[in-house]
Structure formats: structure tokens, C-alpha cells
Amino acid sequence: MAEETTTGIEGFNLKVTAFQGTETIRKALSDKRESSNALPEDPFSSLYTKTGSLAAIEPPYDLYALATMPENSSQLGPIIDAMDVNIEKLGYRVVPREGLPSEESAWDSTMKRDRSVLRNFFMNAVLESTETFTSMRSLVRNDLETTGNGYVEVLENLISKKPAGLVHLPAWTMRLTKEDEGFTDCIVKRATQDDNGAWKIEDFPYSKRFRRYIQQSSTTGKFVYFKEWNDPRNVDRDTGEVIVGEVPPEKKLAHAVIHFKLYCTRSPYGMPRWIGCLMPIIGNRSAETINYITFRNNNVPAMMMLATNVNVTDASTTRIREFIEQQISGKANYAQILLVEAEPMTEGMRDPGTMKLEIKELTQSQHTDAMFKNYMEYNDNKIRRAFRLPPILLGDSTDYTRAVADTSKRISEEQIFLPARDLNDTIWNQTVVPALGVASMLLRSNTPNVTDNYELTQLLATAERSGGLSPFIARIIVEDVLGKSLPPIPDDIDANSPFTMTMLKTKLDADIAIAEAGGKIVSDTTKSVSTDDIKKQLELVIALAKGNEKVPVELVDTLVSLVESVEE
């Protein structure tokens, strides 16, 4: 039978599920341990025993203890930073939906309005002077990778009831309540595309068992309730109760929350990726603590004085202590001499061979390097594999070739960072974006350039020469690689026609015009050029004209006659 118990290990207090009976499992790694950093009592414990839909659900692990894990691990912090930088901190941009023109010159008034609405919202959603939408996403990512959960409060416009702001909620302060017993009808707004390719916001009726979220103030201890995203009911902020009918003026309404989480099979809470490496993380912390204590205490002295059949006088003992403390360091004391006096242990002992003072070095017995290095390296690899990250992203190796480094970056982008970005963008595009009434535009996270630039230029050049690459397609590829929008294509260039074909058509039109004005060319140029030059120009015009169906045969014959007349 599974039993939820508490394990105290080296300052960590984590509630785990054990299958070893009903006893409390308490394993001590040593007789001496540091005091626990965990809170003495879960502040939400009184809410776990409640009945009904307002009862809080106890998380599978102590969220405060999980939140402090990066502080106690030399490996977990850099890994979370790598996930944060590559997923959230590259920024974002607003782009048209699939099937809509990417060129601003081809946008209608609705697309321009939608872009302005999204840009203005995300630029001003976070009003803290030191934060932006990108930095807020970074905070949520840190919570998500540390505790498996991330929360964003959505502020509404009091008049339009549309989203007006976003606030990050620390994950360790949040708890989930049980779902309602009954279903609640709601409307889910999503963008849909009709047969003509136009996008619009459509309302989908939906029934769901909603839950509430609870946060406790770290200063007053007061509980604050939030409601789930899309919950249409008015919920009391202080009690979590649903307000039926008109809202009394003294009541404060709960705000909606978007819950990001890493799926857990046995709990509505999320679960961090590294939870399976809990023991390696704690083991590394213990090994580093032992190394520090050994270094700090210097358990083995550098040398030892052995006295055989003699007593070292008190004056010599004092002199030795003062010499070591005051004069043993510094180049000025390099030739200092220490005089030690001793006396026989018994008065009758006169044989000098049995009395001696000996200095013995103990440096070989001292610890000259860290202990448990192989064990810690093994644990670091296990923690890193939990995130599937290559060592190069953490600075763990310096012997990488460029090929290996490029491959590591590309695989990490394809297998880890890009799917995480797409999932994150999808959540925003299915919640806040439709709620703003925006149908034609999307929020899209920027991506790093992991493409080999030489290979990319060769590919684009080959496709362009074969007529398979238009400026429109090339712009999409380059914008995606650079992660930013480029200036619009000039109006005199056909964006949907390969640039080579456009240039060829331009040259051909010019050649046709030259061919049609061939007689004038000859008459104007005979005064300043030689006969051979005129002949070569006319022959070139004839060659171009013969390959063009638009040029009449009579004109070609006329040009041939001109060449013959030039020869005469």
C-alpha cells in the first residue's frame, strides 16, 4: 500500500510517496547534519483537510523545497538557465497566420489593426519598470523548470473585459483546489479559417469542471483566490466562493490565471524534469559539503615533531608555536632558524643515541584534491541527461570541434527548444490572443540561427537559379533564420516570381525595344562607331529577336537587310 511520508535529507524536507509500509521513512546520511531549510509547517495544511471544491490539493512534493533546489546544486542552476535562455529570452514577434500575405503592402485594414493590437498589448502587458513580457516569460520558465509549474495572472480591462495586463505569480506560493462537482458552461474563443482563407474569431460552447487557485501572502499570511482561465463566473477573491447574481460593491473579484505545467501522471500539479535525479542532486551537495569541511578544517597537519626519550621544554613549545604563527611565511623569513631545547626524561639517561627530536612531514597524507570527483561527475551527467542537454551548452567541455558543436546545437534546437517554444506560443495564441479579438495575427517566439550559413546560401542560390525560389519564399526563410522582420519588397519587383525570371524578363523587354528601334540605332551610331561595332550590335539584336515570339518575322528580315547594308 502506498504511503505518503516525509524524508529529511541534508537540509531537505520533501514529501514523497513510499511503498514500504506505514512507517515514516527517515534516512540519515551521517550522524551530523545541517538544520533543515524547509518551512516548519506547510502554510496551506489547514486547507488540505477542507471538504468540497474549495479544499486545496496537496502537491506531490514540497514546492518550497523544490524551489530551493537550484540554490543547493551546482549543476541544476546552469541547466535551468540554459533552458530559459534558449526558449524564452530570444524575444518574440507578431506574424500573420498561415495563408495570409507576409508583405505589409498586401495587408488589409483588419490585419494592420490586429498587428497593432497584439504589439501594443505585449509591449505594455507588464508595467513593472524593470520587467518586460520577455522577462516575465523568463520568470515563468524558471518556475516551470524548477517546480514543474508556472502561473500568470491575467488582468482585465474594466470596461471591455478583454485582457489588459499580465503578472507573474511565484509557483511555490500557489496551490490548486479540487475541481467543482458540477459542470459550468463557458465559451472558448478560437481563430478559424473559412474556405476563402479568411480568419475570424469563433465562439465554441464548452462545459468544464473548473477549479480555483490559492496564493498565500508571505507578509500577512492572507489567502487570495484566483479563478481558472475561461471561467465565466464571478468568484470572491477572499473566499473563493462563486458570487451568484449582482456583485456587492464591497466584494473583490478573483482574476483569471493561466497555469503552465510539465505533465504529471498522478497529480494536477506539474512535475519537474529532474525529479528522478533527486538523490544525485542531494548526493552532490553532500559530497561538496564534505570537501569544504575537509578543506576548511585541514584535518591532517603539514608536519609532526617526534620526541624520543626527551621532554620538550615549555619555552621551546611556546617558541615553536610563535614561530609557526608569525614567522613561517614570507620570503624575508626564508633563512630563519628555530632553536628547540629538550631535556632527558630521567636524570640517569646519558646515552645520546636514545634521545632525539625528529621532524616528520605529513604532506603525503594530506588531501591535495577534492574527494568523490568521479561520483559527482557521474551525478552531473545524470542530471544533465534528465533535460537531454549536450555538455557544450553548460560549458562542461572545451575539446569540441566545430562540427560536433554545430550538430549539438542543431539537435538541441530540434529536439528540445523548438518544441518547447511552439508549445508555449500555442498556449498564448489559444488564450490571450483570441480574447483580444485578434484573428489574423500570431505571437511567435524568435529562434536562434543554427543553420550553416554556407550551406544555406548554396541552397538558396541553387533554388533561385532553377526558378524554385521567389523573393517571397526567400524572405520567409531569412526572417525565420534572423528572427526579425525585414523591410518590405519594393513594388516594382514581383514577390511571387523568381528573381532570375524577373531580371530575364526585364532584359528581354529591353532587347525587344532595341530590336524594334534597330533602324534608329544604326542611323544614330554610324557617326561615332565603326562598321564592325554596328554589325556586332545588329547581329546580337537579331539573335535575341529570333528567340522571341513577340518579334515579327518582318522585323527580323529588316534587321538582316540592315546588316547587309552595313557590310556594303
Side-chain angles (χ1 to χ4, degrees):
M1 179 178 178
E3 183 75 17
E4 289 193 345
T5 61
T6 302
T7 301
I9 303 177
E10 291 291 332
F12 300 103
N13 187 12
L14 297 176
K15 182 176 66 59
V16 300
T17 301
F19 294 87
Q20 302 179 9
T22 59
E23 288 187 341
T24 300
I25 301 175
R26 297 187 181 277
K27 297 181 179 179
L29 298 182
S30 62
D31 293 336
K32 295 182 179 180
R33 64 176 63 179
E34 298 174 330
S35 60
S36 174
N37 291 329
L39 293 174
E41 182 180 359
D42 189 342
F44 293 88
S45 57
S46 62
L47 300 179
Y48 299 147
T49 57
K50 271 189 173 184
T51 58
S53 60
L54 293 181
I57 301 174
E58 190 172 4
Y61 291 87
D62 188 333
L63 295 180
Y64 180 82
L66 295 181
T68 60
M69 277 295 178
E71 302 173 15
N72 296 280
S73 173
S74 59
Q75 183 77 353
L76 194 57
I79 290 177
I80 293 176
D81 286 343
M83 298 291 289
D84 176 28
V85 168
N86 287 277
I87 297 175
E88 307 293 352
K89 287 189 175 179
L90 297 175
Y92 66 93
R93 63 188 188 276
V94 176
V95 298
R97 286 187 180 270
E98 182 182 358
L100 298 179
S102 63
E103 286 298 322
E104 186 176 353
S105 59
W107 293 356
D108 56 20
S109 59
T110 301
M111 293 183 65
K112 294 179 179 179
R113 182 199 68 85
D114 286 352
R115 184 186 64 172
S116 299
V117 169
L118 275 193
R119 279 185 173 179
N120 292 331
F121 174 79
F122 288 116
M123 283 192 300
N124 302 285
V126 182
L127 296 181
E128 292 290 337
S129 58
T130 57
E131 290 187 15
T132 62
F133 177 64
T134 299
S135 65
M136 188 213 67
R137 289 175 59 179
S138 173
L139 296 177
V140 177
R141 175 60 55 180
N142 272 271
D143 284 349
L144 190 64
E145 301 298 339
T146 304
T147 68
N149 300 273
Y151 301 90
V152 174
E153 176 189 12
V154 182
L155 308 180
E156 286 186 349
N157 185 293
L158 297 177
I159 299 176
S160 65
K161 301 301 180 182
K162 292 182 178 181
L166 303 172
V167 177
H168 163 251
L169 302 175
W172 71 274
T173 66
M174 300 293 293
R175 296 295 186 273
L176 279 63
T177 69
K178 295 181 180 179
E179 291 182 342
D180 296 333
E181 295 182 358
F183 286 89
T184 300
D185 294 333
C186 63
I187 297 296
V188 177
K189 293 183 177 294
R190 292 290 171 83
T192 60
Q193 189 176 24
D194 60 21
D195 296 337
N196 297 323
W199 289 86
K200 64 178 181 178
I201 299 297
E202 188 172 347
D203 294 340
F204 292 87
Y206 187 62
S207 294
K208 181 180 179 180
R209 290 191 178 99
F210 287 100
R211 69 170 83 246
R212 259 77 83 201
Y213 298 87
I214 313 172
Q215 184 185 38
Q216 186 186 41
S217 171
S218 58
T219 56
T220 64
K222 181 182 177 181
F223 292 110
V224 177
Y225 287 82
F226 299 86
K227 66 179 183 179
E228 193 173 354
W229 174 262
N230 266 339
D231 190 343
R233 302 170 298 177
N234 293 322
V235 176
D236 192 317
R237 184 191 67 178
D238 299 320
T239 65
E241 298 287 348
V242 176
I243 301 176
V244 180
E246 187 176 353
V247 180
E250 68 275 8
K251 292 290 186 181
K252 300 293 185 181
L253 297 181
H255 297 162
V257 160
I258 300 176
H259 183 193
F260 299 81
K261 66 179 181 178
L262 302 178
Y263 176 70
C264 175
T265 57
R266 61 184 179 92
S267 173
Y269 291 92
M271 188 78 73
R273 308 176 202 269
W274 53 264
I275 200 64
C277 299
L278 184 60
M279 291 300 105
I281 292 174
I282 298 176
N284 271 10
R285 176 68 174 183
S286 301
E288 291 171 349
T289 302
I290 292 173
N291 282 324
Y292 172 75
I293 293 174
T294 302
F295 173 79
R296 181 70 181 270
N297 295 339
N298 192 20
N299 295 337
V300 181
M303 65 180 179
M304 183 182 298
M305 177 179 289
L306 302 178
T308 305
N309 292 328
V310 294
N311 289 326
V312 180
T313 63
D314 293 340
S316 294
T317 303
T318 302
R319 190 180 301 116
I320 293 172
R321 182 183 297 110
E322 293 176 352
F323 185 81
I324 292 175
E325 293 178 354
Q326 301 177 10
Q327 300 185 19
I328 202 169
S329 61
K331 63 182 181 180
N333 301 319
Y334 187 77
Q336 290 281 349
I337 297 176
L338 175 65
L339 178 63
V340 180
E341 299 176 350
E343 58 186 15
M345 297 183 64
T346 60
E347 294 182 1
M349 185 176 295
R350 293 291 183 265
D351 184 4
T354 62
M355 295 182 296
K356 63 179 179 179
L357 290 175
E358 182 182 0
I359 302 296
K360 185 176 181 180
E361 294 184 2
L362 299 179
T363 54
Q364 295 181 351
S365 300
Q366 288 181 325
H367 291 289
T368 58
D369 203 349
M371 296 180 288
F372 314 109
K373 291 178 64 176
N374 292 334
Y375 171 72
M376 290 191 291
E377 182 179 359
Y378 172 73
N379 285 343
D380 285 345
N381 290 333
K382 292 181 66 175
I383 299 169
R384 179 173 49 78
R385 285 200 302 269
F387 291 82
R388 300 184 297 129
L389 292 177
I392 191 173
L393 293 181
L394 307 179
D396 284 348
S397 180
T398 58
D399 57 352
Y400 272 90
T401 63
R402 178 178 178 181
V404 175
D406 291 344
T407 302
S408 298
K409 290 194 300 182
R410 185 170 62 252
I411 292 177
S412 300
E413 176 66 17
E414 294 174 354
Q415 299 293 319
I416 304 171
F417 304 134
L418 181 60
R421 273 190 235 106
D422 289 344
L423 178 60
N424 199 12
D425 292 348
T426 299
I427 294 176
W428 291 111
N429 290 323
Q430 291 184 351
T431 54
V432 173
V433 173
L436 291 170
V438 174
S440 61
M441 293 288 169
L442 288 172
L443 173 74
R444 180 170 296 172
S445 297
N446 293 333
T447 58
N449 181 12
V450 296
T451 306
D452 185 282
N453 293 331
Y454 177 77
E455 293 182 358
L456 180 62
T457 54
Q458 294 298 311
L459 173 64
L460 294 178
T462 302
E464 202 276 333
R465 285 195 299 269
S466 63
L469 185 69
S470 65
F472 175 74
I473 299 175
R475 175 174 294 269
I476 294 176
I477 296 174
V478 175
E479 284 184 342
D480 189 60
V481 170
L482 298 179
K484 64 179 182 180
S485 299
L486 298 177
I489 298 176
D491 296 335
D492 57 345
I493 296 178
D494 186 359
N496 295 313
S497 176
F499 190 68
T500 301
M501 301 300 295
T502 301
M503 296 301 297
L504 180 60
K505 182 177 181 300
T506 302
K507 184 177 186 304
L508 190 58
D509 291 342
D511 292 338
I512 293 174
I514 292 174
E516 292 175 347
K520 186 176 184 301
I521 293 176
V522 173
S523 60
D524 291 343
T525 56
T526 51
K527 299 178 182 180
S528 57
V529 297
S530 64
T531 303
D532 293 337
D533 290 336
I534 297 174
K535 180 181 177 183
K536 289 179 181 179
Q537 290 182 15
L538 290 175
E539 288 177 347
L540 177 60
V541 172
I542 293 172
L544 293 174
K546 287 183 177 179
N548 190 347
E549 298 178 354
K550 295 182 179 181
V551 179
V553 178
E554 295 80 7
L555 178 59
V556 176
D557 294 338
T558 302
L559 292 173
V560 173
S561 301
L562 285 173
V563 172
E564 294 175 352
S565 62
V566 169
E567 290 177 348
E568 295 175 356

